[in-house]
Amino acid sequence: MTEVTMDKIVSLAKRRGFIYPGSEIYGGLSGTWDYGPLGVELKNNIKNLWWRIFVQDRDDMLGLDAAIVMNPDAWRASGHVAGFADPLENGKMFNTMFTTSVGTGVDAITVYLRPETAGGIFVNFKNVVDSFHPKLPFGIAQIGKAFRNEIAPRDFVFRSREFEQLEIEYFVRPTEWEKAFGEWQKNQIIFAETIGLALSHIKQVEVSPEDRAHYSKQSVDTEFVYPFGQKELWGLAYRTDYDLAAHAEASGVDLSYLDEITGERFIPHVVEPSFGIDRTVLALLVSAYAEDALGGEARTYLKFNSAVAPVKAAVFPLLKNKPELVAKAREVYGMLKKDIPQIMWDDNGNIGKRYRRQDEIGTPYCITIDFDTLGDPSTGSGQGSSLKDTITIRNRDTGEQERVSINSLASRIA
Ligand code: GAP
């Protein structure tokens, strides 16, 4: 059993270009993190999968990308200006919304950076209904940045001041919220499994009334066992008609929905699954981190599944000083890259070092072009043309290698 510590995760994430401390050359900025070249690929893979599964593959979902800075009246109506606060040590409440200003001089107004993406969805409810006339139940999904001036940011990207949420406001008839709540609770487990989170580390926990957000009548957190303890990964809340009713009252705009089947007009209720991408990336790094010995040598690897792995395969020429090998390897690399963009070229150091480097970033397959690939009987294993246009493909988890034809490679990796 590998012991997974935060030191190991943070150091690998930095060394291999997943996550760097924010503004590091200036000494950092507490609660901010920058995603490096592999971190952004990993994050995009998860976001694209989420969008595909929860928006594009379904008939009851619509997408949105609303502004981060909203009219501050929206945050007054939602209760965030009055109540989105955490206790300081002296017992005083501190509102964790960041403020900035919009406009110049006397016309400038104080505005907030959104503390949840949900706000943009509620204020666009009527726009989306007027454009698309969706039938209940239906959801509006959004992926975007959210900001909280956390009193004590900590535990790497677990609690940061700028983070990203993938949120769905799922609108239902008031009598149907429990069914939707149960379905989204299951969907969160299914998504965890799809991206490769360790299910043994996942627990769904009912949130007590005193710990629920001000808008929620029932909440279940999906928690994950991080190296620093079992804590929230994602949220699920029954927000009732709290938000739409509050925005209707404050804006004076009718946000009710006409049910064409029953002829009734009412404010829909809302079930809200909320996924934080940063905690997801952290949980995924913890789930994937592994150490073992391969061929008598210790190694560290990330056992990402192919769907989320930032690099799907790496292509090497066996030797970098043999132009005929390099040319053939470039040809294979170019062919694969057309269909699978997340392919990496590596010709640095010996083959063993390249394998270790790819293992450490979780690349499922390494493809080596050797003399047999060229089919010249005077080189390679001497089998000559029978192995022409075949390559070796190495499996990250077992270290086993197989010879397959170049033609079958793309479908094999896809
Ligand atoms: N709209 C509902 C909402 O914002 P939340 O439980 O406050 O609910 C939802 O946040 C998710 O956003 C959390 O489950 C977590 O994944 C993520 N999140 C919240 N605060 C965060 C922070 N300071 N740093 C990183 N992720 C955070």
Side-chain angles (χ1 to χ4, degrees):
M1 274 287 279
T2 304
E3 194 206 350
V4 186
T5 65
M6 284 308 287
D7 281 351
K8 290 180 184 175
I9 296 289
V10 173
S11 126
L12 188 150
K14 162 124 202 260
R15 185 161 33 90
R16 302 312 316 274
F18 284 91
I19 303 173
Y20 306 122
S23 329
E24 193 182 12
I25 63 167
Y26 288 99
L29 177 68
S30 170
T32 66
W33 298 92
D34 296 339
Y35 285 78
L38 295 183
V40 69
E41 295 294 334
L42 177 62
K43 214 158 63 136
N44 284 343
N45 290 344
I46 301 166
K47 289 196 279 187
N48 292 340
L49 213 53
W50 187 90
W51 194 260
R52 175 77 201 263
I53 292 170
F54 292 133
V55 185
Q56 294 171 336
D57 282 354
R58 296 176 58 128
D59 295 327
D60 59 345
M61 295 289 302
L62 295 156
L64 186 77
D65 187 11
I68 286 174
V69 175
M70 296 170 60
N71 186 312
D73 285 345
W75 298 113
R76 283 187 200 96
S78 66
H80 285 80
V81 171
F84 199 68
D86 286 334
L88 293 164
E89 266 123 49
N90 61 15
K92 288 213 175 100
M93 294 307 280
F94 174 75
N95 193 305
T96 58
M97 281 198 295
F98 280 104
T99 56
T100 183
S101 62
V102 164
T104 56
V106 287
D107 292 332
I109 58 163
T110 297
V111 295
Y112 305 95
L113 300 188
R114 65 181 179 202
E116 56 170 0
T117 62
I121 297 181
F122 292 122
V123 301
N124 280 290
F125 172 78
K126 185 170 159 34
N127 283 335
V128 174
V129 169
D130 288 350
S131 306
F132 295 90
H133 307 284
K135 303 279 169 286
L136 288 176
F138 70 91
I140 304 180
Q142 171 163 238
I143 297 180
K145 290 276 186 162
F147 303 82
R148 296 180 194 175
N149 195 0
E150 297 284 0
I151 295 168
R154 68 172 90 96
D155 297 324
F156 198 28
V157 293
F158 176 81
R159 189 178 305 286
S160 34
R161 290 183 166 135
E162 174 177 340
F163 52 96
E164 204 169 1
Q165 292 181 321
L166 303 84
E167 296 202 299
I168 292 163
E169 305 308 320
Y170 197 72
F171 300 97
V172 297
R173 293 184 183 82
T175 51
E176 292 175 349
W177 74 269
E178 270 171 307
K179 179 167 173 275
F181 196 93
E183 284 168 5
W184 283 108
Q185 199 175 330
K186 276 199 212 105
N187 285 342
Q188 291 191 307
I189 295 292
I190 293 169
F191 189 69
E193 193 171 14
T194 304
I195 61 174
L197 292 181
L199 289 190
S200 57
H201 284 45
I202 291 210
K203 320 264 177 249
Q204 290 190 315
V205 178
E206 172 99 35
V207 182
S208 65
E210 56 280 12
D211 287 338
R212 287 199 294 249
H214 63 278
Y215 47 70
S216 175
K217 212 164 164 186
Q218 183 165 345
S219 291
V220 168
D221 281 349
T222 296
E223 298 189 341
F224 184 82
V225 183
Y226 303 93
F228 45 85
Q230 183 180 321
K231 300 251 168 78
E232 178 181 347
L233 169 66
W234 303 326
L236 176 64
Y238 169 40
R239 292 179 81 129
T240 69
D241 60 354
Y242 173 88
D243 300 271
L244 288 183
H247 288 303
E249 189 179 337
S251 66
V253 174
D254 181 3
L255 298 180
S256 65
Y257 175 91
L258 176 66
D259 192 332
E260 284 170 9
I261 298 170
T262 61
E264 259 183 292
R265 195 169 257 293
F266 57 91
I267 294 194
H269 281 217
V270 168
V271 168
E272 178 199 60
S274 178
F275 303 66
I277 193 77
D278 310 86
R279 289 185 190 180
T280 308
V281 166
L282 175 55
L284 205 48
L285 287 170
V286 171
S287 300
Y289 188 94
E291 292 166 353
D292 68 1
L294 198 64
E297 227 185 285
R299 67 160 180 166
T300 297
Y301 66 110
L302 294 176
K303 45 183 195 306
F304 287 141
N305 70 29
S306 299
V308 300
V311 177
K312 309 300 183 203
V315 178
F316 318 145
L318 180 65
L319 300 169
K320 91 185 219 189
N321 58 359
K322 297 284 177 204
E324 64 277 30
L325 280 182
V326 173
K328 189 70 186 171
R330 278 281 174 205
E331 192 188 309
V332 172
Y333 171 78
M335 176 200 85
L336 286 177
K337 205 167 170 64
K338 267 193 280 169
D339 292 328
I340 309 164
Q342 291 171 315
I343 295 281
M344 191 181 266
W345 171 266
D346 193 354
D347 59 8
N348 248 328
N350 67 37
I351 207 94
K353 286 216 177 87
R354 295 180 208 162
Y355 285 155
R356 291 293 180 275
R357 264 202 304 274
Q358 295 300 327
D359 288 347
E360 223 187 9
I361 63 172
T363 306
Y365 299 110
C366 289
I367 294 157
T368 305
I369 283 71
D370 57 19
F371 290 106
D372 282 333
T373 315
L374 305 177
D376 177 350
S378 64
T379 55
S381 64
Q383 292 181 62
S385 57
S386 70
L387 296 181
K388 189 171 190 307
D389 289 329
T390 64
I391 48 78
T392 65
I393 179 161
R394 171 189 175 269
N395 178 300
R396 174 198 63 209
D397 298 341
T398 61
E400 276 165 16
Q401 297 184 35
E402 226 187 304
R403 263 210 109 80
V404 303
S405 73
I406 290 175
N407 288 340
S408 66
L409 252 189
S411 59
R412 180 78 187 240
I413 296 167

